[in-house]
Amino acid sequence: MRQWLEGIEERHGLDKLTKQARQLVIVSFVLLLLLVIYRGFFIQDDAFNWRPVVAFVLPLVLFLPSIIGQRARGHAWLAFVSLLYFTQGVMLATLPGQGMRGVLEALVSLALFTGCMCYARFRSRQQRLNG
C-alpha cells in the first residue's frame, strides 16, 4: 500500500494531490453538513427544537478552523469523526423509509473520510519536503 501511494505521489505530484484531496474534503464536508441539517429539521414533529440539530452539526462545525487553516492533524481527526456519521448513515439506512438518506449520508461521510486521510498524508509529506 505504501509503495502504491508513493508511486501515485511521484506520478501526479504532491501539490496536485493535495489540492484534489482538499477539494474532496470541502465538497463532502459541505454536503454532509447540509444532509445533517436537513435530517435535523426532518426529525421534528410538531414543535421545532434546535437541540437535535445542534447535536448533529456541532461536531462538524468544530473542525472548520482546521479546514480553513489547512492543518493536516485537524483533517486526520475529522476523518475519525466522519466515521461516526458513516455509522449513523448505515443505521439510518436500515430504517423503513429512510434508506436513501441513510445511504447518501454514509457515502458522503465515506468520501469525507477518504478526502481527509489523503489530505492529511499529502499535506504532511508536502510540508516535510518543503522544510
Side-chain angles (χ1 to χ4, degrees):
M1 180 73 151
R2 183 178 184 180
Q3 291 174 343
W4 178 73
L5 280 172
E6 288 173 354
I8 290 175
E9 291 169 1
E10 288 177 16
R11 278 194 305 274
H12 299 286
L14 280 174
D15 292 335
K16 181 180 177 184
L17 291 172
T18 303
K19 182 179 177 185
Q20 289 175 342
R22 179 160 170 74
Q23 289 172 347
L24 179 61
V25 167
I26 291 171
V27 168
S28 57
F29 181 83
V30 169
L31 284 174
L32 185 60
L33 197 60
L34 291 174
L35 279 170
V36 168
I37 289 171
Y38 174 75
R39 189 168 48 90
F41 285 117
F42 189 74
I43 288 174
Q44 309 302 321
D45 292 331
D46 296 329
F48 180 74
N49 188 357
W50 284 96
R51 283 178 271 177
V53 178
V54 170
F56 291 128
V57 170
L58 187 62
L60 290 174
V61 172
L62 290 175
F63 285 98
L64 271 175
S66 291
I67 291 174
I68 293 169
Q70 301 181 18
R71 291 191 287 269
R73 185 173 294 204
H75 282 76
W77 281 105
L78 177 58
F80 295 122
V81 170
S82 72
L83 293 177
L84 297 172
Y85 290 94
F86 174 78
T87 304
Q88 185 174 314
V90 170
M91 290 189 321
L92 189 63
T94 62
L95 296 176
Q98 305 295 319
M100 187 56 108
R101 283 191 307 150
V103 168
L104 191 59
E105 186 174 329
L107 289 175
V108 169
S109 63
L110 192 59
L112 181 61
F113 174 80
T114 303
C116 284
M117 291 307 291
C118 288
Y119 181 80
R121 175 187 170 87
F122 299 143
R123 180 72 175 151
S124 62
R125 288 180 59 90
Q126 188 181 45
Q127 288 174 335
R128 217 176 313 135
L129 289 175
N130 293 337

